[in-house]
Amino acid sequence: MGSLSTILRHPDELYPLLKLKIAITKAQKQIPLEPHLAFCYSMLHKVSKSFSLVIQQLGTELRNAVCVFYLILRALDTVEDDTSVEMEIKLPILIAFHRHIYDGDWHFSCGTKEYKVLMDQFHHVSAAFLELEKGYQEAIEDVTKRMGAGMAKFICKEVETIDDYDEYCHYAAGLVGLGLSKIFIISELEILTPDWKHISNSTGLFLQKTNIIKDYLEDINEIPKSRMFWPREIWGKYVDKLEDFKNEETSTKAVQCLNEMVTNALIHVEDCMKSLASLRDPAIFQSCAIPQIVAIGTLALCYNNVQVFRGVVRVRRGLIAKVIDRTKTMDDVYGVFYDFSCMLQTKVDKNDANAMKTFNRLETIKKVCRENGVLEKRKSYVNNESQTKAIFIVMFVLLLGILVMYLKANQCK
């Protein structure tokens, strides 16, 4: 649930953590009995607990479609990610993956841990896919085909320019956004907006760029071969080789490059908020809002943080629990985007080469939040020190009172 020291530093996250744990336990108990779907939901929980929870809030038909869609793309991504698979084997699988999903006997052993289980028992996912409505199948097949072809392209091509970077992120995640939008429309719970393709793609780019930034060390240390997605057009300004950022002596340049990468990702935030504001169904809204809020929080943590090149930087589980608990409306979204933008803004060093660009983008985000959201009565997602101390004192007094009552009760016996 979270370490005791973390909970003590952020006591307001204890209740949301408990609620999240109860909700996850409840969701696990509601896994369908049908073998193929039971495998899918069990696997979904193993590869993404938080995303699993929000998916399971959807209506049954839509929930099954999104679950299967997620697992198919996760399997495709597992093939791409496994650097131990030889190129001549990997490429045909990526290109033909949209056909394999119709084959109940197909499987391919790759990946590790739960991802290997997913690939070894992929027939369950195929069977669940074949039980979906035809419209869902066609939307999923189309995205899988385009994504597989794009991944194959970039296995043979380096990410050199920012345009390459945007194109790779489109294949890796922009298509996911487009696919989800199609699925929501097929379900008749959502309607088309004139610019739905652009904003759906942009939300995917935002999530993918955030993952690429935070996963620098994991990707660069991939065995047997590094996986590199940072565009040379950006990192080439600072070092000769991308892996040089791991070295202590390049820390200053590494952080400067990191800040430019974060600033680039912030381009998509307005589209993310516009996309969320267009959603009508509460369950769909929350399932889409949570990942995007976690992404802006992750960027706020990563910005100007050399730890990206030394270890793991991620939003703590308690804060994610608080976001899940509080995010019900667009006002909540505007509030949390505003909070994380303010947090990031306090970290901007005026001497950074991209400081003005970063500052301007954050000001634009905050302006959108102020003009569209009701921020005055919101609860801050990012506690200041005085708030944390006050909550801690209250909890300490309550615990002390319980202890005194317990001791008195024992004395009376």
Side-chain angles (χ1 to χ4, degrees):
M1 186 171 71
S3 69
L4 180 60
S5 61
T6 301
I7 291 172
L8 288 175
R9 288 198 303 273
H10 307 280
D12 63 316
E13 295 172 5
L14 178 58
Y15 179 62
L17 272 169
L18 289 170
K19 286 183 68 175
L20 179 61
K21 186 172 179 62
I22 292 169
I24 290 173
T25 302
K26 182 180 178 182
Q28 286 178 301
K29 291 178 180 178
Q30 293 176 337
I31 289 176
L33 296 176
E34 195 278 319
H36 302 310
L37 282 175
F39 174 84
C40 288
Y41 282 102
S42 174
M43 188 54 57
L44 179 66
H45 177 74
K46 291 175 182 175
V47 298
S48 179
K49 290 182 180 179
S50 297
F51 196 54
S52 169
L53 180 63
V54 294
I55 285 178
Q56 289 181 282
Q57 308 307 309
L58 301 171
T60 304
E61 180 185 293
L62 182 58
R63 179 174 68 227
N64 291 345
V66 174
C67 174
V68 171
F69 180 51
Y70 183 89
L71 289 179
I72 285 173
L73 298 188
R74 176 56 63 190
L76 178 62
D77 194 50
T78 300
V79 176
E80 186 212 16
D81 283 349
D82 194 334
T83 55
S84 67
V85 179
E86 295 296 331
M87 187 81 71
E88 60 270 20
I89 296 173
K90 181 181 292 191
L91 284 175
I93 292 175
L94 293 174
I95 293 169
F97 206 89
H98 66 288
R99 292 195 292 270
H100 295 319
I101 62 179
Y102 287 96
D103 183 354
D105 295 323
W106 185 85
H107 63 92
F108 178 69
S109 187
C110 65
T112 60
K113 300 177 182 178
E114 60 268 20
Y115 300 102
K116 187 177 188 306
V117 176
L118 172 63
M119 299 306 299
D120 288 340
Q121 300 187 46
F122 191 76
H123 65 279
H124 287 300
V125 182
S126 296
F129 168 76
L130 293 172
E131 292 171 0
L132 297 177
E133 181 192 313
K134 187 70 173 176
Y136 293 131
Q137 290 182 9
E138 290 173 351
I140 292 170
E141 179 190 0
D142 176 60
V143 169
T144 306
K145 180 179 180 179
R146 293 161 66 188
M147 184 180 290
M151 287 178 169
K153 176 180 179 178
F154 275 92
I155 282 177
C156 305
K157 176 184 178 180
E158 294 289 333
V159 178
E160 296 284 346
T161 66
I162 293 174
D163 285 343
D164 290 340
Y165 184 43
D166 285 346
E167 185 183 4
Y168 171 77
C169 291
H170 163 72
Y171 291 129
L175 286 170
V176 180
L178 288 165
L180 283 173
S181 293
K182 286 183 180 179
I183 288 172
F184 296 154
I185 292 162
I186 292 167
S187 74
E188 298 184 347
L189 293 171
E190 299 294 345
I191 58 174
L192 285 172
T193 58
D195 56 352
W196 73 275
K197 288 185 178 180
H198 169 75
I199 61 177
S200 296
N201 181 66
S202 195
T203 57
L205 265 63
F206 181 61
L207 297 179
Q208 185 66 15
K209 288 182 178 184
T210 300
N211 287 334
I212 286 172
I213 290 167
K214 76 176 179 62
D215 291 340
Y216 166 85
L217 195 62
E218 179 184 334
D219 289 341
I220 212 77
N221 287 337
E222 184 73 32
I223 296 173
K225 183 183 177 183
S226 296
R227 301 167 65 243
M228 298 187 235
F229 304 110
W230 290 36
R232 185 186 296 271
E233 185 177 340
I234 292 179
W235 65 258
K237 301 174 187 177
Y238 304 94
V239 287
D240 294 326
K241 295 182 293 183
L242 184 55
E243 55 264 36
D244 289 347
F245 286 145
K246 292 194 297 181
N247 304 329
E248 290 282 349
E249 58 268 23
T250 63
S251 293
T252 300
K253 291 181 178 179
V255 169
Q256 289 172 345
C257 180
L258 169 65
N259 292 347
E260 185 169 352
M261 290 287 288
V262 171
T263 303
N264 172 272
L266 292 174
I267 294 170
H268 306 288
V269 172
E270 288 173 81
D271 285 336
C272 290
M273 292 190 287
K274 190 174 182 180
S275 173
L276 292 173
S278 71
L279 298 174
R280 305 183 303 172
D281 183 82
I284 290 176
F285 170 78
Q286 189 179 45
S287 70
C288 294
I290 302 305
Q292 292 180 32
I293 292 171
V294 172
I296 187 69
T298 300
L299 291 180
L301 291 176
C302 288
Y303 186 85
N304 219 35
N305 187 356
V306 74
Q307 188 61 26
V308 171
F309 306 98
R310 306 286 180 263
V312 179
V313 176
R314 62 166 63 99
V315 177
R316 63 184 179 276
R317 190 165 179 77
L319 184 51
I320 293 174
K322 188 160 68 172
V323 165
I324 291 173
D325 185 46
R326 291 185 183 178
T327 306
K328 311 297 182 187
T329 68
M330 262 317 290
D331 280 336
D332 300 327
V333 170
Y334 289 129
V336 73
F337 268 80
Y338 187 89
D339 284 347
F340 280 124
S341 295
C342 290
M343 175 182 167
L344 201 160
Q345 200 168 38
T346 63
K347 300 169 71 176
V348 177
D349 181 350
K350 64 180 181 180
N351 295 317
D352 186 271
N354 289 277
M356 188 55 66
K357 187 182 292 184
T358 309
F359 185 83
N360 288 340
R361 285 187 183 158
L362 291 169
E363 281 297 310
T364 299
I365 295 167
K366 288 165 62 180
K367 183 173 183 286
V368 171
C369 294
R370 285 194 301 268
E371 290 178 350
N372 294 279
V374 179
L375 306 183
E376 291 78 12
K377 298 179 181 180
R378 80 190 193 283
K379 294 180 180 178
S380 177
Y381 289 80
V382 185
N383 289 336
N384 60 40
E385 192 174 339
S386 61
Q387 286 177 314
T388 301
K389 285 181 178 178
I391 296 171
F392 179 80
I393 290 169
V394 171
M395 287 186 65
F396 178 77
V397 170
L398 287 173
L399 288 171
L400 187 61
I402 292 170
L403 178 61
V404 170
M405 290 173 64
Y406 174 77
L407 292 174
K408 283 184 177 180
N410 283 342
Q411 286 175 350
C412 294
K413 291 181 180 179

